[in-house]
Amino acid sequence: MDLIQQIFKTPKPIIGVVHLLPLPTSPRWSGNLKTVIERAEREATALAAGGVDGIIVENFFDAPFTKGTVDPAVVSAMTILVEKLMNLVTLPIGINVLRNDAHSGLAIASCVGAQFIRVNVLTGVMATDQGLIEGQAHQLLRYRRELGSEVKIFADVLVKHAQALESTNLTHAVKDTIERGLADAVIISGWATGSPPVLEDLEIAKIAAAETPVFIGSGANWDNIATLLPSADGVIVANSLKRHGQIDQPIDPLRVSQFVEAARSIKPSGC
């Protein structure tokens, strides 16, 4: 995959997630951005030391999320945080502004030089706990052109914690996301955070995506990665890298190393 080699310089990249502590204006905001920065720097350092190939930064602990544009204070805080992480580690970095503020993610990434963003709903309409979220591929792709940006768009297909408003099958959803939404890569997840995708869904998505990279978006661990990764082009991993595998805990460097070792030990198909 040209895109994967271009960004990650390796086949089958492992992307670790930095879940930011609550940011300004979120219900659990502590009032101290320095604490958020210090935690994020420790997480990024642990991921880099453990051998991941990339990092994605999310405002995960800002829940409950808005379905639309986040507050400008969140954009400002994430810009500061991502720039600091880019100066700390040499890995490619991506951004996901939850729940679906792709415009802010693209703006931040373009300004600081991050390589990609994750977009939960790029096309179609999804019923979520934030309400109905409509894909805005039309506006996002034009905004990228206006910015003169080369930031890549990694788009979820039938994203977790959501239900498609209209009946659709995975093949059509993948094709629409790529052919009509112009996604640079697609992401297949389980039904919720920490839940792995069904192997058959990965296989279907891989066929439908053709030359477009397909990433595992949730639930990967060192027990199932040997089964899942051969049917994907990379993996985004969070929960299983945390202390005791708990989402609210910090990154555990030992668990990062164990996951990376398990993923790297997978033999290519046909071997």
Side-chain angles (χ1 to χ4, degrees):
M1 293 288 177
D2 291 342
L3 174 67
I4 287 177
Q5 288 294 336
Q6 174 189 339
I7 297 177
F8 302 103
K9 307 297 189 291
T10 185
K12 305 274 185 176
I14 301 165
I15 304 173
V17 183
V18 171
H19 285 149
L20 299 175
L21 293 177
L23 297 175
T25 72
S26 75
R28 293 176 288 183
W29 161 239
S30 69
N32 189 343
L33 188 60
K34 182 180 179 181
T35 300
V36 182
I37 293 171
E38 290 174 346
R39 160 91 171 232
E41 289 177 336
R42 289 194 298 270
E43 303 265 272
T45 300
L47 289 169
V52 303
D53 305 301
I55 291 173
I56 186 165
V57 182
E58 297 184 347
N59 57 324
F60 182 83
F61 290 113
D62 280 356
F65 307 113
T66 174
K67 70 175 183 178
T69 305
V70 299
D71 191 271
V74 175
V75 178
S76 298
M78 290 190 73
T79 303
I80 292 169
L81 281 151
V82 173
E83 186 170 34
K84 284 184 176 294
L85 298 188
M86 292 188 68
N87 289 329
L88 182 66
V89 300
T90 58
L91 296 173
I93 289 184
I95 300 167
N96 187 14
V97 183
L98 298 166
R99 166 69 166 185
N100 201 55
D101 192 353
H103 280 68
S104 291
L106 182 61
I108 296 167
S110 299
C111 287
V112 303
Q115 286 86 350
F116 62 99
I117 61 171
R118 182 174 183 173
V119 182
N120 285 177
V121 183
L122 181 66
T123 60
V125 183
M126 301 295 290
T128 75
D129 53 310
Q130 294 82 33
L132 295 180
I133 297 180
E134 299 181 25
Q136 297 185 336
H138 172 92
Q139 296 94 325
L140 183 64
L141 270 293
R142 279 157 180 75
Y143 187 46
R144 183 170 69 172
R145 186 181 62 186
E146 289 172 5
L147 291 174
S149 173
E150 296 184 357
V151 172
K152 304 305 180 185
I153 298 169
F154 290 18
D156 284 273
V157 175
L158 302 179
V159 68
K160 58 191 175 183
H161 298 289
Q163 180 68 43
L165 197 61
E166 61 181 4
S167 178
T168 186
N169 65 48
L170 183 58
T171 295
H172 291 160
V174 170
K175 287 182 176 293
D176 277 353
T177 304
I178 295 169
E179 296 172 4
R180 298 170 70 84
L182 302 186
D184 298 298
V186 296
I187 301 169
I188 305 297
S189 299
W191 65 274
T193 300
S195 174
V198 176
L199 178 60
E200 183 182 3
D201 287 347
L202 276 178
E203 294 170 342
I204 290 170
K206 191 73 178 69
I207 293 170
E211 295 302 311
T212 300
V214 175
F215 283 82
I216 300 162
S218 67
N221 57 51
W222 50 76
D223 290 324
N224 65 24
I225 193 62
T227 300
L228 298 176
L229 194 55
S231 297
D233 299 298
V235 57
I236 300 171
V237 57
N239 286 35
S240 63
L241 307 185
K242 303 287 188 92
R243 188 179 300 161
H244 309 303
Q246 299 297 313
I247 195 67
D248 61 338
Q249 294 293 308
I251 296 289
D252 183 336
L254 179 59
R255 292 176 73 95
V256 178
S257 298
Q258 289 174 330
F259 182 88
V260 170
E261 181 179 359
R264 296 276 188 266
S265 66
I266 301 170
K267 294 181 179 179
S269 301
C271 291

